[in-house]
Amino acid sequence: MPFYHSYSGLVSGREQPPDRRPPAASGPSADLYARAARRYYHPTFNFGTTVVSGVRGPVFERIVHVAPFWTLTAFDRAPIDPDADVPCVLVLPPYAGHCPTLVRDTVAAFLPGHAVYVAGWADARHVPLSAGAFGLGEAIEAVADMVAEIGRAVHVVAVTEAGVLAVAAAALLSGRGYPPATLTLIGGPVDCRADHAGLAASATARGLDWFMRAVIAPVPPPFEGAYREVFPGFFTLTGFLTRSLDSSLSDPKELFSSLIIGDGDSADGRRFFFDEFLAVMDVPAEFMLQWIEAVLINRPFVPDPSQPRLSHATPPLAGIPLMTVEAGSDAFGGGGQTHAAHTLTGMSAEGCRHTEERAGRFALFSGARWRASIFPRVADFIAGQVGLPKPPQIAQAEDLLALSGLTPAFIARLNREGFYFRRQLARLDETAASLLDRRLGTEAHPLAAELAREARRQLAEAGRS
Protein backbone atom coordinates (compact mmCIF):
# COMPACT_ATOMS: atom_id res chain seq x y z
CA MET A 1 0.00 0.00 0.00
CA PRO A 2 1.44 3.43 -0.90
CA PHE A 3 2.92 5.39 1.99
CA TYR A 4 0.53 8.31 1.74
CA HIS A 5 -2.40 6.07 2.68
CA SER A 6 -0.63 4.12 5.40
CA TYR A 7 -0.42 6.69 8.16
CA SER A 8 -4.00 7.85 8.70
CA GLY A 9 -7.58 6.87 8.00
CA LEU A 10 -9.18 3.46 8.15
CA VAL A 11 -7.73 0.59 6.16
CA SER A 12 -11.00 -1.30 6.01
CA GLY A 13 -14.42 -0.63 7.44
CA ARG A 14 -15.28 2.35 9.58
CA GLU A 15 -14.82 0.97 13.09
CA GLN A 16 -12.03 2.70 14.95
CA PRO A 17 -9.43 0.14 16.07
CA PRO A 18 -8.31 -0.22 19.69
CA ASP A 19 -6.13 2.59 21.01
CA ARG A 20 -2.52 1.52 20.60
CA ARG A 21 -0.81 4.73 21.56
CA PRO A 22 2.92 4.80 22.21
CA PRO A 23 4.13 5.07 25.81
CA ALA A 24 4.01 8.48 27.44
CA ALA A 25 6.90 10.67 26.34
CA SER A 26 9.50 11.77 28.88
CA GLY A 27 10.45 15.14 27.41
CA PRO A 28 9.43 17.74 24.82
CA SER A 29 11.44 16.19 21.99
CA ALA A 30 10.13 12.71 22.75
CA ASP A 31 6.59 14.07 23.05
CA LEU A 32 6.65 15.69 19.63
CA TYR A 33 8.35 12.67 18.05
CA ALA A 34 5.70 10.35 19.52
CA ARG A 35 2.97 12.54 18.05
CA ALA A 36 4.59 12.68 14.63
CA ALA A 37 5.03 8.89 14.58
CA ARG A 38 1.53 8.07 15.84
CA ARG A 39 -1.14 6.77 13.48
CA TYR A 40 -4.10 9.18 13.51
CA TYR A 41 -7.72 8.25 12.91
CA HIS A 42 -10.56 10.52 12.00
CA PRO A 43 -11.69 12.18 15.23
CA THR A 44 -15.27 12.99 16.22
CA PHE A 45 -16.65 16.08 17.94
CA ASN A 46 -18.07 14.35 21.06
CA PHE A 47 -18.92 17.57 22.88
CA GLY A 48 -21.02 15.88 25.55
CA THR A 49 -22.13 19.05 27.35
CA THR A 50 -22.12 22.82 27.02
CA VAL A 51 -23.20 25.75 29.19
CA VAL A 52 -26.46 27.50 28.27
CA SER A 53 -27.44 30.54 30.37
CA GLY A 54 -25.02 29.46 33.08
CA VAL A 55 -26.36 25.91 33.32
CA ARG A 56 -24.42 22.94 31.92
CA GLY A 57 -26.53 20.64 29.78
CA PRO A 58 -26.14 17.87 27.20
CA VAL A 59 -25.31 18.32 23.51
CA PHE A 60 -26.83 15.94 20.98
CA GLU A 61 -25.25 15.43 17.56
CA ARG A 62 -27.94 15.00 14.88
CA ILE A 63 -27.37 14.16 11.22
CA VAL A 64 -29.61 16.41 9.13
CA HIS A 65 -28.58 15.36 5.63
CA VAL A 66 -26.13 12.89 4.12
CA ALA A 67 -24.70 13.09 0.60
CA PRO A 68 -21.78 11.17 -0.90
CA PHE A 69 -19.34 14.05 -0.46
CA TRP A 70 -20.78 15.96 2.49
CA THR A 71 -22.86 15.68 5.63
CA LEU A 72 -24.84 18.38 7.44
CA THR A 73 -24.78 17.92 11.21
CA ALA A 74 -26.76 19.83 13.85
CA PHE A 75 -25.63 20.16 17.45
CA ASP A 76 -28.76 20.35 19.59
CA ARG A 77 -28.41 21.57 23.16
CA ALA A 78 -31.00 21.80 25.92
CA PRO A 79 -31.97 25.49 26.24
CA ILE A 80 -33.12 26.95 29.54
CA ASP A 81 -35.94 28.73 27.68
CA PRO A 82 -37.29 26.47 24.89
CA ASP A 83 -39.09 29.44 23.34
CA ALA A 84 -35.95 31.58 23.07
CA ASP A 85 -35.01 32.38 19.49
CA VAL A 86 -31.24 32.10 19.03
CA PRO A 87 -29.22 32.84 15.89
CA CYS A 88 -28.60 29.90 13.58
CA VAL A 89 -24.96 29.45 12.53
CA LEU A 90 -23.57 27.24 9.75
CA VAL A 91 -19.84 26.60 10.22
CA LEU A 92 -17.94 25.67 7.05
CA PRO A 93 -14.62 23.91 7.79
CA PRO A 94 -11.83 24.11 5.23
CA TYR A 95 -11.80 21.37 2.59
CA ALA A 96 -8.05 21.20 2.13
CA GLY A 97 -7.04 17.90 3.70
CA HIS A 98 -7.93 18.33 7.36
CA CYS A 99 -10.89 16.66 9.06
CA PRO A 100 -13.92 18.85 9.91
CA THR A 101 -13.10 18.52 13.63
CA LEU A 102 -10.29 21.03 13.06
CA VAL A 103 -12.99 23.63 13.85
CA ARG A 104 -13.90 21.99 17.17
CA ASP A 105 -13.06 25.16 19.14
CA THR A 106 -15.05 27.26 16.68
CA VAL A 107 -18.16 25.14 17.17
CA ALA A 108 -17.70 24.90 20.96
CA ALA A 109 -17.64 28.69 21.29
CA PHE A 110 -20.92 29.10 19.36
CA LEU A 111 -22.80 26.32 21.17
CA PRO A 112 -23.91 28.19 24.33
CA GLY A 113 -25.80 30.92 22.49
CA HIS A 114 -26.45 29.67 18.96
CA ALA A 115 -28.12 26.88 17.03
CA VAL A 116 -25.06 25.36 15.36
CA TYR A 117 -24.81 23.38 12.13
CA VAL A 118 -21.52 22.08 10.73
CA ALA A 119 -20.64 21.00 7.20
CA GLY A 120 -18.77 17.72 7.22
CA TRP A 121 -16.71 17.12 4.10
CA ALA A 122 -16.22 13.48 3.15
CA ASP A 123 -12.88 11.72 2.92
CA ALA A 124 -12.61 11.08 -0.83
CA ARG A 125 -10.88 7.74 -0.26
CA HIS A 126 -14.22 6.43 1.07
CA VAL A 127 -16.37 7.75 -1.82
CA PRO A 128 -16.76 5.22 -4.69
CA LEU A 129 -16.24 6.27 -8.29
CA SER A 130 -19.95 5.67 -8.93
CA ALA A 131 -20.73 8.80 -6.86
CA GLY A 132 -19.32 10.93 -9.67
CA ALA A 133 -17.12 14.01 -9.50
CA PHE A 134 -17.07 16.71 -6.84
CA GLY A 135 -15.47 19.90 -8.07
CA LEU A 136 -15.62 23.51 -6.94
CA GLY A 137 -19.04 24.04 -8.51
CA GLU A 138 -20.50 21.00 -6.76
CA ALA A 139 -19.08 22.18 -3.43
CA ILE A 140 -20.67 25.61 -3.91
CA GLU A 141 -24.03 23.98 -4.70
CA ALA A 142 -23.57 21.79 -1.60
CA VAL A 143 -23.23 24.87 0.64
CA ALA A 144 -26.36 26.37 -0.96
CA ASP A 145 -28.20 23.08 -0.33
CA MET A 146 -27.13 23.15 3.32
CA VAL A 147 -28.58 26.62 3.80
CA ALA A 148 -31.81 25.52 2.12
CA GLU A 149 -31.93 22.36 4.24
CA ILE A 150 -31.71 24.37 7.47
CA GLY A 151 -34.72 26.35 6.32
CA ARG A 152 -34.33 29.52 8.38
CA ALA A 153 -32.16 32.63 8.55
CA VAL A 154 -28.59 31.31 8.53
CA HIS A 155 -25.41 33.09 9.57
CA VAL A 156 -22.60 31.47 7.56
CA VAL A 157 -19.14 31.32 9.17
CA ALA A 158 -16.46 30.09 6.75
CA VAL A 159 -13.02 29.09 7.99
CA THR A 160 -9.88 29.62 5.86
CA GLU A 161 -10.12 27.88 2.45
CA ALA A 162 -13.90 27.49 2.77
CA GLY A 163 -14.22 31.27 2.41
CA VAL A 164 -14.49 31.21 -1.37
CA LEU A 165 -17.16 28.48 -1.15
CA ALA A 166 -19.16 30.70 1.20
CA VAL A 167 -18.75 33.77 -1.02
CA ALA A 168 -19.88 31.95 -4.16
CA ALA A 169 -22.75 30.17 -2.38
CA ALA A 170 -23.93 33.47 -0.86
CA ALA A 171 -23.94 35.06 -4.32
CA LEU A 172 -25.82 32.06 -5.71
CA LEU A 173 -28.41 32.17 -2.90
CA SER A 174 -28.82 35.92 -3.29
CA GLY A 175 -29.70 35.38 -6.94
CA ARG A 176 -32.29 32.80 -5.89
CA GLY A 177 -33.89 35.23 -3.44
CA TYR A 178 -32.83 33.83 -0.06
CA PRO A 179 -29.32 35.04 0.82
CA PRO A 180 -27.69 34.15 4.15
CA ALA A 181 -28.45 36.49 7.05
CA THR A 182 -24.73 37.30 7.42
CA LEU A 183 -21.42 36.06 6.06
CA THR A 184 -18.25 35.85 8.16
CA LEU A 185 -14.92 34.93 6.54
CA ILE A 186 -12.14 33.85 8.89
CA GLY A 187 -8.69 33.90 7.35
CA GLY A 188 -9.60 32.68 3.87
CA PRO A 189 -7.90 34.07 0.75
CA VAL A 190 -10.34 35.79 -1.61
CA ASP A 191 -8.08 38.12 -3.57
CA CYS A 192 -4.55 36.73 -3.79
CA ARG A 193 -3.17 39.74 -5.64
CA ALA A 194 -1.85 40.76 -2.21
CA ASP A 195 0.37 37.69 -2.41
CA HIS A 196 3.06 38.55 0.12
CA ALA A 197 3.98 34.86 0.62
CA GLY A 198 4.47 34.28 -3.10
CA LEU A 199 2.22 31.21 -3.12
CA ALA A 200 -0.12 32.48 -5.83
CA ALA A 201 2.80 33.59 -7.99
CA SER A 202 4.39 30.17 -7.55
CA ALA A 203 1.14 28.42 -8.48
CA THR A 204 0.79 30.60 -11.58
CA ALA A 205 4.36 29.93 -12.66
CA ARG A 206 4.02 26.17 -12.27
CA GLY A 207 0.56 25.83 -13.77
CA LEU A 208 -2.09 23.15 -13.21
CA ASP A 209 -0.14 20.53 -15.18
CA TRP A 210 2.58 20.57 -12.53
CA PHE A 211 0.04 20.11 -9.72
CA MET A 212 -1.57 17.21 -11.55
CA ARG A 213 1.79 15.46 -11.84
CA ALA A 214 3.13 16.33 -8.39
CA VAL A 215 0.26 16.19 -5.88
CA ILE A 216 -2.52 14.11 -7.46
CA ALA A 217 -2.66 10.32 -7.09
CA PRO A 218 -5.27 7.53 -7.31
CA VAL A 219 -6.75 5.95 -4.20
CA PRO A 220 -5.45 2.39 -3.92
CA PRO A 221 -7.54 -0.69 -3.05
CA PRO A 222 -9.09 -1.78 -0.70
CA PHE A 223 -10.61 1.66 0.00
CA GLU A 224 -14.16 2.26 -1.22
CA GLY A 225 -12.90 5.09 -3.40
CA ALA A 226 -10.28 2.94 -5.12
CA TYR A 227 -8.90 4.51 -8.32
CA ARG A 228 -10.48 7.90 -7.62
CA GLU A 229 -7.99 10.72 -8.32
CA VAL A 230 -7.35 12.65 -5.09
CA PHE A 231 -5.12 15.18 -3.38
CA PRO A 232 -3.68 12.91 -0.63
CA GLY A 233 -4.03 14.30 2.87
CA PHE A 234 -0.38 13.94 3.78
CA PHE A 235 0.49 16.70 1.27
CA THR A 236 -1.42 19.08 3.54
CA LEU A 237 0.95 18.27 6.39
CA THR A 238 3.98 18.50 4.12
CA GLY A 239 2.97 21.96 2.97
CA PHE A 240 2.24 23.36 6.42
CA LEU A 241 5.02 21.80 8.45
CA THR A 242 7.92 22.09 6.00
CA ARG A 243 7.10 25.63 4.82
CA SER A 244 6.21 26.80 8.36
CA LEU A 245 3.17 28.62 7.02
CA ASP A 246 1.84 29.30 10.51
CA SER A 247 4.41 29.66 13.26
CA SER A 248 1.81 30.51 15.89
CA LEU A 249 0.40 27.00 16.30
CA SER A 250 2.24 24.61 14.00
CA ASP A 251 5.82 25.52 14.87
CA PRO A 252 7.36 22.66 16.92
CA LYS A 253 9.67 25.14 18.67
CA GLU A 254 6.69 26.93 20.20
CA LEU A 255 5.30 23.63 21.45
CA PHE A 256 8.73 22.94 22.96
CA SER A 257 8.66 26.31 24.74
CA SER A 258 5.21 25.67 26.18
CA LEU A 259 6.34 22.30 27.50
CA ILE A 260 9.66 23.50 28.87
CA ILE A 261 8.35 26.49 30.83
CA GLY A 262 5.65 24.33 32.39
CA ASP A 263 2.63 26.15 30.96
CA GLY A 264 0.55 22.99 31.23
CA ASP A 265 -2.73 24.50 30.06
CA SER A 266 -1.19 26.02 26.96
CA ALA A 267 0.88 22.90 26.19
CA ASP A 268 -2.07 20.56 26.68
CA GLY A 269 -4.20 22.72 24.41
CA ARG A 270 -1.55 22.63 21.70
CA ARG A 271 -1.12 18.87 22.08
CA PHE A 272 -4.84 18.41 21.52
CA PHE A 273 -4.81 20.71 18.50
CA PHE A 274 -1.85 18.83 17.05
CA ASP A 275 -3.89 15.61 17.28
CA GLU A 276 -6.65 17.30 15.28
CA PHE A 277 -4.18 18.86 12.86
CA LEU A 278 -2.37 15.60 12.09
CA ALA A 279 -5.58 13.66 11.34
CA VAL A 280 -6.01 14.29 7.62
CA MET A 281 -8.11 13.05 4.73
CA ASP A 282 -8.03 12.96 0.93
CA VAL A 283 -9.68 15.65 -1.21
CA PRO A 284 -11.13 15.05 -4.71
CA ALA A 285 -8.54 16.04 -7.30
CA GLU A 286 -11.05 18.02 -9.36
CA PHE A 287 -11.99 20.16 -6.35
CA MET A 288 -8.41 20.91 -5.35
CA LEU A 289 -7.28 21.72 -8.89
CA GLN A 290 -10.27 23.96 -9.55
CA TRP A 291 -9.75 25.73 -6.21
CA ILE A 292 -6.09 26.39 -7.04
CA GLU A 293 -7.04 27.71 -10.48
CA ALA A 294 -9.90 29.92 -9.26
CA VAL A 295 -8.18 31.35 -6.17
CA LEU A 296 -4.42 31.26 -6.74
CA ILE A 297 -4.06 31.50 -10.53
CA ASN A 298 -7.11 33.40 -11.88
CA ARG A 299 -7.01 36.00 -9.14
CA PRO A 300 -9.07 37.75 -7.90
CA PHE A 301 -11.66 35.07 -7.19
CA VAL A 302 -14.88 35.51 -9.19
CA PRO A 303 -17.96 33.97 -7.47
CA ASP A 304 -19.74 33.31 -10.78
CA PRO A 305 -17.53 31.15 -13.07
CA SER A 306 -19.61 32.17 -16.09
CA GLN A 307 -18.35 35.76 -15.71
CA PRO A 308 -14.74 36.32 -16.78
CA ARG A 309 -14.41 39.23 -14.38
CA LEU A 310 -16.24 40.93 -11.53
CA SER A 311 -19.33 42.92 -12.42
CA HIS A 312 -19.42 46.35 -10.83
CA ALA A 313 -23.04 46.85 -11.88
CA THR A 314 -24.38 44.02 -9.72
CA PRO A 315 -21.95 43.17 -6.90
CA PRO A 316 -22.38 39.48 -6.02
CA LEU A 317 -22.65 40.11 -2.26
CA ALA A 318 -24.78 43.26 -2.43
CA GLY A 319 -27.01 43.57 0.63
CA ILE A 320 -25.34 40.74 2.59
CA PRO A 321 -23.75 41.91 5.89
CA LEU A 322 -20.11 40.82 5.74
CA MET A 323 -17.43 40.46 8.40
CA THR A 324 -13.84 39.51 7.60
CA VAL A 325 -11.13 38.40 10.03
CA GLU A 326 -7.42 38.25 9.24
CA ALA A 327 -4.32 37.30 11.20
CA GLY A 328 -1.50 39.80 11.48
CA SER A 329 1.10 37.01 11.25
CA ASP A 330 -0.53 34.77 8.65
CA ALA A 331 2.15 33.81 6.14
CA PHE A 332 -0.37 32.15 3.78
CA GLY A 333 -3.21 34.69 3.75
CA GLY A 334 -3.53 38.02 5.51
CA GLY A 335 -2.31 41.26 4.04
CA GLY A 336 -5.81 42.14 2.86
CA GLN A 337 -6.55 38.89 1.02
CA THR A 338 -9.65 38.26 3.16
CA HIS A 339 -10.68 41.90 3.71
CA ALA A 340 -10.77 42.23 -0.10
CA ALA A 341 -14.11 40.39 -0.03
CA HIS A 342 -15.76 43.68 0.92
CA THR A 343 -15.28 44.83 -2.68
CA LEU A 344 -17.86 42.20 -3.63
CA THR A 345 -20.55 43.98 -1.61
CA GLY A 346 -20.39 47.16 -3.68
CA MET A 347 -19.55 49.14 -0.52
CA SER A 348 -15.88 48.37 0.04
CA ALA A 349 -15.44 51.25 2.48
CA GLU A 350 -18.11 49.82 4.80
CA GLY A 351 -18.48 46.45 6.48
CA CYS A 352 -16.90 44.93 9.54
CA ARG A 353 -13.17 44.11 9.47
CA HIS A 354 -10.93 42.79 12.20
CA THR A 355 -7.21 42.03 12.07
CA GLU A 356 -5.86 40.06 15.02
CA GLU A 357 -2.34 41.31 15.53
CA ARG A 358 0.49 38.93 16.50
CA ALA A 359 -1.70 35.94 15.65
CA GLY A 360 -1.16 33.12 13.19
CA ARG A 361 -3.68 31.55 10.89
CA PHE A 362 -4.98 28.77 13.13
CA ALA A 363 -5.23 31.08 16.13
CA LEU A 364 -8.09 32.79 14.29
CA PHE A 365 -10.47 29.89 14.95
CA SER A 366 -8.89 27.72 17.64
CA GLY A 367 -7.36 28.29 21.05
CA ALA A 368 -7.50 30.97 23.69
CA ARG A 369 -7.05 33.85 21.24
CA TRP A 370 -10.12 32.73 19.28
CA ARG A 371 -12.23 32.31 22.40
CA ALA A 372 -11.15 35.51 24.14
CA SER A 373 -10.73 38.02 21.34
CA ILE A 374 -12.18 36.93 18.01
CA PHE A 375 -15.31 34.98 18.92
CA PRO A 376 -16.83 37.84 20.98
CA ARG A 377 -16.50 40.12 17.96
CA VAL A 378 -18.05 37.59 15.59
CA ALA A 379 -20.89 36.86 18.02
CA ASP A 380 -21.60 40.59 18.43
CA PHE A 381 -21.60 41.06 14.66
CA ILE A 382 -24.11 38.25 14.21
CA ALA A 383 -26.33 39.44 17.08
CA GLY A 384 -26.27 42.99 15.74
CA GLN A 385 -27.68 41.91 12.38
CA VAL A 386 -30.90 40.46 13.78
CA GLY A 387 -33.46 43.03 12.64
CA LEU A 388 -30.85 45.71 11.86
CA PRO A 389 -30.18 47.03 8.35
CA LYS A 390 -26.43 47.66 8.67
CA PRO A 391 -23.45 46.23 10.55
CA PRO A 392 -22.96 47.57 14.07
CA GLN A 393 -19.71 48.66 15.63
CA ILE A 394 -18.08 45.86 17.57
CA ALA A 395 -18.18 46.62 21.31
CA GLN A 396 -14.54 46.70 22.39
CA ALA A 397 -15.62 46.63 26.04
CA GLU A 398 -16.74 43.02 25.63
CA ASP A 399 -13.20 41.72 25.17
CA LEU A 400 -12.10 39.68 28.20
CA LEU A 401 -8.45 40.30 27.31
CA ALA A 402 -8.83 43.92 28.47
CA LEU A 403 -9.40 42.83 32.08
CA SER A 404 -6.18 43.35 34.00
CA GLY A 405 -4.09 40.30 34.87
CA LEU A 406 -5.95 37.75 32.74
CA THR A 407 -3.84 35.42 30.62
CA PRO A 408 -5.18 33.58 27.55
CA ALA A 409 -4.90 30.32 29.53
CA PHE A 410 -7.10 31.65 32.35
CA ILE A 411 -9.56 33.10 29.83
CA ALA A 412 -9.78 29.63 28.30
CA ARG A 413 -10.81 28.33 31.74
CA LEU A 414 -13.48 31.04 31.94
CA ASN A 415 -14.68 30.03 28.47
CA ARG A 416 -15.08 26.43 29.63
CA GLU A 417 -17.38 27.73 32.36
CA GLY A 418 -19.48 29.59 29.78
CA PHE A 419 -18.00 33.10 30.20
CA TYR A 420 -17.05 34.77 26.91
CA PHE A 421 -18.07 38.40 27.42
CA ARG A 422 -17.27 41.04 29.97
CA ARG A 423 -20.96 41.71 30.51
CA GLN A 424 -21.38 38.12 31.76
CA LEU A 425 -18.83 38.71 34.52
CA ALA A 426 -20.42 42.07 35.35
CA ARG A 427 -23.69 40.31 36.24
CA LEU A 428 -22.11 38.14 38.95
CA ASP A 429 -23.21 38.80 42.53
CA GLU A 430 -21.19 37.67 45.55
CA THR A 431 -22.81 34.22 45.68
CA ALA A 432 -22.36 33.53 41.98
CA ALA A 433 -18.76 34.80 42.17
CA SER A 434 -18.01 32.41 45.04
CA LEU A 435 -19.44 29.50 43.05
CA LEU A 436 -17.33 30.47 40.03
CA ASP A 437 -14.20 30.63 42.22
CA ARG A 438 -14.98 27.14 43.44
CA ARG A 439 -15.30 25.80 39.88
CA LEU A 440 -12.11 27.58 38.82
CA GLY A 441 -10.17 26.39 41.86
CA THR A 442 -9.37 29.95 42.97
CA GLU A 443 -11.08 29.83 46.37
CA ALA A 444 -7.80 30.47 48.20
CA HIS A 445 -7.33 33.70 46.26
CA PRO A 446 -10.83 34.74 45.09
CA LEU A 447 -10.82 36.39 41.68
CA ALA A 448 -14.38 36.24 40.37
CA ALA A 449 -15.80 39.05 42.53
CA GLU A 450 -12.83 41.28 41.69
CA LEU A 451 -13.23 40.57 37.99
CA ALA A 452 -16.97 41.31 38.21
CA ARG A 453 -16.27 44.70 39.83
CA GLU A 454 -13.67 45.60 37.21
CA ALA A 455 -15.99 44.49 34.40
CA ARG A 456 -18.82 46.68 35.77
CA ARG A 457 -16.46 49.64 36.07
CA GLN A 458 -15.11 49.30 32.54
CA LEU A 459 -18.56 48.80 31.03
CA ALA A 460 -19.76 51.94 32.83
CA GLU A 461 -16.78 53.90 31.48
CA ALA A 462 -17.47 52.60 27.97
CA GLY A 463 -21.09 53.73 28.30
CA ARG A 464 -20.07 57.25 29.26
CA SER A 465 -17.60 57.59 26.39
Side-chain angles (χ1 to χ4, degrees):
M1 183 177 296
F3 167 75
Y4 63 81
H5 281 293
S6 67
Y7 72 97
S8 70
L10 301 182
V11 175
S12 61
R14 295 187 181 275
E15 293 294 328
Q16 183 165 326
D19 188 4
R20 298 188 178 94
R21 299 182 182 179
S26 59
S29 297
D31 181 87
L32 193 62
Y33 177 81
R35 290 179 178 278
R38 181 183 304 169
R39 179 168 178 158
Y40 288 86
Y41 297 90
H42 292 183
T44 56
F45 282 98
N46 286 335
F47 284 117
T49 64
T50 190
V51 175
V52 181
S53 301
V55 178
R56 186 169 294 280
V59 176
F60 305 99
E61 193 169 331
R62 174 171 55 89
I63 302 299
V64 177
H65 186 90
V66 177
F69 288 95
W70 58 273
T71 300
L72 179 62
T73 303
F75 292 90
D76 300 326
R77 79 271 197 284
I80 301 302
D81 181 5
D83 298 324
D85 187 19
V86 297
C88 177
V89 172
L90 171 61
V91 178
L92 299 178
Y95 197 16
H98 292 292
C99 295
T101 50
L102 192 71
V103 298
R104 182 190 305 273
D105 259 10
T106 315
V107 177
F110 279 112
L111 274 176
H114 303 79
V116 184
Y117 294 79
V118 178
W121 305 113
D123 189 337
R125 77 183 70 168
H126 297 308
V127 182
L129 280 173
S130 59
F134 190 75
L136 187 62
E138 286 80 9
I140 293 168
E141 283 285 356
V143 174
D145 290 343
M146 293 176 199
V147 174
E149 185 73 33
I150 294 172
R152 52 182 288 197
V154 179
H155 302 269
V156 178
V157 177
V159 178
T160 62
E161 287 86 357
V164 292
L165 299 181
V167 168
L172 182 65
L173 290 168
S174 181
R176 294 175 179 175
Y178 51 97
T182 65
L183 178 59
T184 302
L185 307 180
I186 300 179
V190 175
D191 187 348
C192 289
R193 287 178 294 184
D195 182 30
H196 58 86
L199 297 178
S202 176
T204 303
R206 290 176 171 175
L208 285 181
D209 288 343
W210 181 89
F211 285 99
M212 292 179 67
R213 294 192 306 269
V215 299
I216 302 300
V219 176
F223 293 100
E224 295 174 71
Y227 309 113
R228 175 180 292 279
E229 296 287 325
V230 297
F231 173 81
F234 96 94
F235 279 125
T236 300
L237 300 182
T238 303
F240 276 105
L241 297 182
T242 60
R243 292 179 60 94
S244 299
L245 293 179
D246 188 348
S247 61
S248 69
L249 284 180
S250 63
D251 188 349
K253 292 184 291 186
E254 184 163 339
L255 178 62
F256 284 172
S257 299
S258 296
L259 292 167
I260 292 170
I261 64 175
D263 187 356
D265 195 6
S266 175
D268 286 344
R270 296 240 171 81
R271 286 192 191 101
F272 191 78
F273 184 81
F274 261 62
D275 289 346
E276 299 283 357
F277 180 84
L278 294 173
V280 294
M281 63 184 190
D282 296 346
V283 180
E286 59 273 18
F287 173 87
M288 183 58 67
L289 293 172
Q290 290 170 14
W291 189 94
I292 291 172
E293 183 178 32
V295 179
L296 298 181
I297 298 177
N298 297 338
R299 51 193 190 272
F301 173 71
V302 179
D304 185 356
S306 65
Q307 298 182 6
R309 60 188 63 192
L310 291 176
S311 170
H312 297 284
T314 56
L317 299 184
I320 300 176
L322 174 65
M323 178 178 184
T324 54
V325 182
E326 286 190 0
S329 302
D330 185 354
F332 179 83
Q337 295 186 53
T338 306
H339 294 329
H342 289 277
T343 61
L344 303 177
T345 65
M347 298 180 294
S348 58
E350 300 183 14
C352 185
R353 299 169 175 83
H354 174 67
T355 300
E356 189 71 14
E357 301 297 339
R358 299 183 301 278
R361 190 181 194 206
F362 291 105
L364 290 181
F365 61 90
S366 180
R369 184 71 70 92
W370 151 254
R371 293 187 294 267
S373 178
I374 299 169
F375 168 71
R377 291 175 166 85
V378 175
D380 276 356
F381 169 73
I382 290 174
Q385 298 307 317
V386 180
L388 294 180
K390 62 179 182 179
Q393 296 296 320
I394 297 300
Q396 300 294 332
E398 290 297 332
D399 195 345
L400 288 177
L401 284 172
L403 290 173
S404 59
L406 289 191
T407 64
F410 189 80
I411 290 176
R413 294 169 62 187
L414 287 173
N415 295 160
R416 286 194 289 271
E417 297 300 329
F419 289 88
Y420 296 91
F421 304 103
R422 211 176 309 185
R423 63 173 178 265
Q424 292 176 287
L425 290 174
R427 295 173 185 153
L428 293 177
D429 56 21
E430 293 297 327
T431 302
S434 297
L435 291 174
L436 179 58
D437 278 320
R438 188 180 307 167
R439 297 201 302 268
L440 293 172
T442 56
E443 292 175 283
H445 304 283
L447 290 175
E450 181 180 347
L451 291 175
R453 287 192 293 270
E454 183 178 358
R456 285 192 289 268
R457 176 182 60 79
Q458 293 186 0
L459 286 174
E461 290 175 358
R464 290 194 296 270
S465 62

